[in-house]
């Protein structure tokens, strides 16, 4: 029975399929009214089901217009799909039957044909998917997710589901959310003061890197695509408390340029895929969010090599600019954006001072104060990606790690591990950069940031 139901639902045509296939004749479709225009003999409905940016125009004779037909209500319509002579659409549906499944009560927060800023739309998580801008972003996000998996699967990587709960703070930044169980009550109703559920501190993961490294001790090319959590203090337009990170780890890599090649190839591949399948949504987003259409910029980006400069060279450029204080061991967002603007595109900055970086990065042979690591900076956003060669010396690691929590990590170095390199790419920052969204909060269906956790 279930099999039959599932088959029926999945074979029902979406508006996107109807518009692509253009099979004229009988047609049955469900969706929401985006806009209704009453004329003397007919009412014209823009019907959408979220499957594509383009809506289906329904021509409804006045005699069939239900009394409860309102913008945003849910409908089922059947009739004839015919070739249209209206500009901008190849087919239209001439309704013979219409059923209002659920009408829409007033007041509705997002009226049709009015422009609402994304800051405003963000307040309505249940209604925002009916807006042009957010529905485009969600389809783009879906496409990019698929493109990322496609890239890794086509290139011999094995996906590893690394845990969400972890006993390590991989980045050592201290921005971790700690897990605690809700205190239960004992029979006599006094509060239990039991030990921590896991007998040791456990956190929401900030990165799956160390787990990927553990698996990369036997499988030489691995990746994950998971949520990561950071208790970021500041609220900026590029930080979330819960975000998705794409991470890859490759064994037998000892050259930082090979790592940069991998990152660049992934990003270009995914962008090409995105431009091929989601060009309409990219344009639609630009129009509805009133931002620059990025199509040409992205086409250009995939055809050019990303810049590669060392941290020392980057500092020199910043100093030459004459508008910044002396850089110590890390960049501010202004530094990052300046470098991208100056060089005109994405910039890899590699070989950084050890003092600003986590314990696991490999010491540079040329200079022991530096580590083989790389940040990819992109225009408008700043840091998109961070990666490194991993330290191979157990002795070096021992001197950097306190306590026993990472003994397993150091021990791998003594038992046949291969040198590895890897990176993490912030998925929402990738979307933000590709589409030119001002705020990262609009690139994820439900954003979480300090003091904000809607739904
Ligand atoms: O540079 P990060 O901290 O690197 C790591 O976590 C490594 N362990 C990854 C690895 O080598 N496997 O984070 C990687 C990327 C950043 O470059 C940034 O794009 C994104 O994750 N990111 C955030 N995105 C949104 N909100 C936040 N709070 C973010 N923090 C990091
Ligand atoms: Mg980083």
């Amino acid at each position: 029975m279930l099999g039959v139901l599932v088959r029926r639902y999945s074979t029902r045509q979406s508006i996107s399929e109807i518009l692509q296939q253009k099979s004229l004749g009988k047609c049955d479709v469900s969706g929401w009214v985006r806009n209704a225009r009453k004329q003397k003999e007919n009412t014209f409905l823009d019907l959408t089901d979220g499957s594509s940016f383009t809506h289906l125009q329904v021509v409804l004779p006045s005699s069939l217009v239900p009394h409860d037909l309102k913008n945003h209500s849910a409908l089922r319509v059947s009739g004839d799909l015919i070739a249209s002579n209206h500009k901008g659409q190849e087919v239209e549906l001439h309704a013979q039957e219409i059923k209002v499944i659920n009408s829409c009560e007033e007041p509705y927060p997002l009226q049709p044909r009015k422009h609402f800023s994304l800051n405003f739309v963000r307040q309505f998580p249940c209604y925002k998917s009916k807006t042009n801008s957010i529905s485009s972003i969600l389809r783009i996000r879906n496409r990019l997710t698929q493109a990322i998996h496609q890239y890794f699967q086509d290139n011999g990587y094995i996906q590893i589901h690394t845990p969400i709960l972890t006993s390590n703070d991989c980045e050592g930044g201290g921005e971790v959310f700690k897990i605690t169980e809700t205190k239960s009550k004992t029979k006599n109703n006094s509060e239990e003061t039991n030990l921590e559920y896991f007998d040791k501190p456990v956190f929401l993961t900030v990165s799956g890197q160390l787990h990927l490294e553990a698996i990369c001790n036997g499988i030489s090319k691995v990746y994950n695509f998971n949520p990561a959590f950071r208790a970021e203090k500041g609220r900026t337009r590029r930080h979330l408390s819960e975000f998705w990170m794409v991470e890859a780890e490759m064994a037998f890599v000892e050259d930082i340029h090979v790592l940069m090649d991998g990152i660049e190839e992934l990003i270009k591949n995914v962008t090409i895929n995105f431009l091929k399948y989601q060009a309409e949504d990219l344009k639609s987003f630009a129009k509805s969010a009133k931002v620059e259409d990025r199509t040409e910029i992205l086409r250009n980006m995939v055809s050019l090599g990303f810049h590669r400069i060392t941290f020392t060279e980057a500092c020199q450029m910043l100093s030459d600019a004459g508008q910044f204080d002396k850089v110590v061991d890390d960049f501010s967002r202004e530094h990052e954006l300046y470098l991208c603007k100056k060089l005109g595109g994405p910039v890899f900055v590699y070989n950084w001072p050890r003092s600003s970086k986590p314990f696991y990065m490999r010491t540079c042979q040329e200079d022991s104060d530096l580590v083989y690591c790389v940040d990819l900076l992109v225009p408008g956003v700043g840091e998109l990606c961070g990666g490194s060669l991993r330290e191979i010396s157990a002795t070096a690691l021992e001197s950097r790690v306190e306590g026993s929590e990472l003994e397993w990590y150091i021990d791998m170095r003594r038992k046949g591990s291969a040198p590895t390199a890897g990176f993490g790419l912030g998925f929402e920052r990738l979307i933000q950069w590709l589409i030119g969204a001002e705020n990262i909060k609009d690139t994820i269906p439900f954003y979480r940031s300090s003091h904000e956790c809607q739904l």
Side-chain angles (χ1 to χ4, degrees), residues 421-437:
F423 65 88
L425 173 149
F427 185 50
E428 287 74 20
R429 287 197 190 170
L430 175 71
I431 302 174
Q432 192 181 7
W433 170 52
L434 292 178
I435 68 176

Side-chain angles (χ1 to χ4, degrees), residues 357 375 383 386:
K357 294 292 178 186
D375 275 8
E383 181 191 335

Side-chain angles (χ1 to χ4, degrees), residues 118 121-122 125 127-140 285 288 441-445:
L118 284 168
V121 170
R122 207 177 298 138
Y127 304 117
K128 67 181 190 177
S129 64
K130 280 183 178 158
T131 64
N132 284 338
S133 48
I134 296 292
S135 63
S136 285
I137 293 181
L138 294 175
R139 285 186 295 271
I140 288 170
F285 172 76
S288 49
K441 289 176 181 169
D442 299 315
T443 64
I444 187 165

Side-chain angles (χ1 to χ4, degrees), residues 195-207:
L195 289 169
E196 290 177 283
Y197 183 89
F198 291 105
D199 299 327
K200 60 177 166 183
V202 166
F203 315 100
L204 292 178
T205 183
V206 296
S207 157

Side-chain angles (χ1 to χ4, degrees), residues 171 230 357-358 360-361 374-375 383-387 424 429:
E171 295 305 291
R230 297 196 185 178
K357 294 292 178 186
Y360 52 73
M361 295 184 175
V374 60
D375 275 8
E383 181 191 335
L384 170 65
C385 221
R429 287 197 190 170

